Amino acid sequence: MSSTEQDVGGAEPRTDWEKIQGSPEFTDLRRRLRVFVFPMTALFLLWYLLYVLLADYAHGFMSTKLFGNITVGLVFGLLQFVSTFVITGLYVRYANRKLDPVADGIRAKIEGEPGK
């Protein structure tokens, strides 16, 4: 048994992390996380790639003035920041509703069963 698996005093481990990691609750938590993170990451990367490609290959479109000196490219660039904040807000809301209750249940199970 490695020193990382033992308590400070060298006693037996208090928690079997591999057992918890293999539990249905933890598997469900990971699945719920992936259901949000993977599609949102792909969506954001596609949105960013569109912005980069338009900036590089559609100069006429991106330099179109909307009003004053505000161009389509500037608006798209600012929308990159906006989309980051929107995704963060959506993730916080999703985590509060779908992830945190499961994680809290796992934590309660771990803390309620010392020595296992």
Side-chain angles (χ1 to χ4, degrees):
M1 191 175 304
S2 73
S3 61
T4 58
E5 294 173 333
Q6 295 179 348
D7 286 341
V8 176
E12 289 299 311
R14 294 185 301 168
T15 305
D16 185 355
W17 296 110
E18 289 177 3
K19 181 179 174 185
I20 292 165
Q21 185 179 9
S23 72
E25 296 90 356
F26 191 80
T27 301
D28 180 52
L29 179 63
R30 287 188 1 218
R31 181 193 60 76
R32 289 177 186 221
L33 177 68
R34 289 178 181 142
V35 161
F36 182 88
V37 170
F38 290 166
M40 194 59 68
T41 300
L43 182 66
F44 181 79
L45 289 175
L46 286 173
W47 160 237
Y48 181 71
L49 181 62
L50 174 68
Y51 172 67
V52 170
L53 290 174
L54 286 173
D56 196 33
Y57 296 107
H59 296 280
F61 173 69
M62 293 297 267
S63 63
T64 302
K65 290 190 177 189
L66 298 175
F67 51 90
N69 287 328
I70 307 300
T71 63
V72 171
L74 180 62
V75 171
F76 274 28
L78 293 173
L79 286 174
Q80 292 292 316
F81 291 102
V82 171
S83 64
T84 301
F85 290 116
V86 168
I87 290 170
T88 300
L90 290 172
Y91 176 76
V92 168
R93 185 173 144 204
Y94 182 81
N96 286 339
R97 289 181 23 233
K98 302 285 186 175
L99 302 177
D100 291 348
V102 177
D104 291 343
I106 294 170
R107 183 182 309 110
K109 185 176 178 181
I110 292 168
E111 292 173 353
E113 298 178 6
K116 293 210 174 196

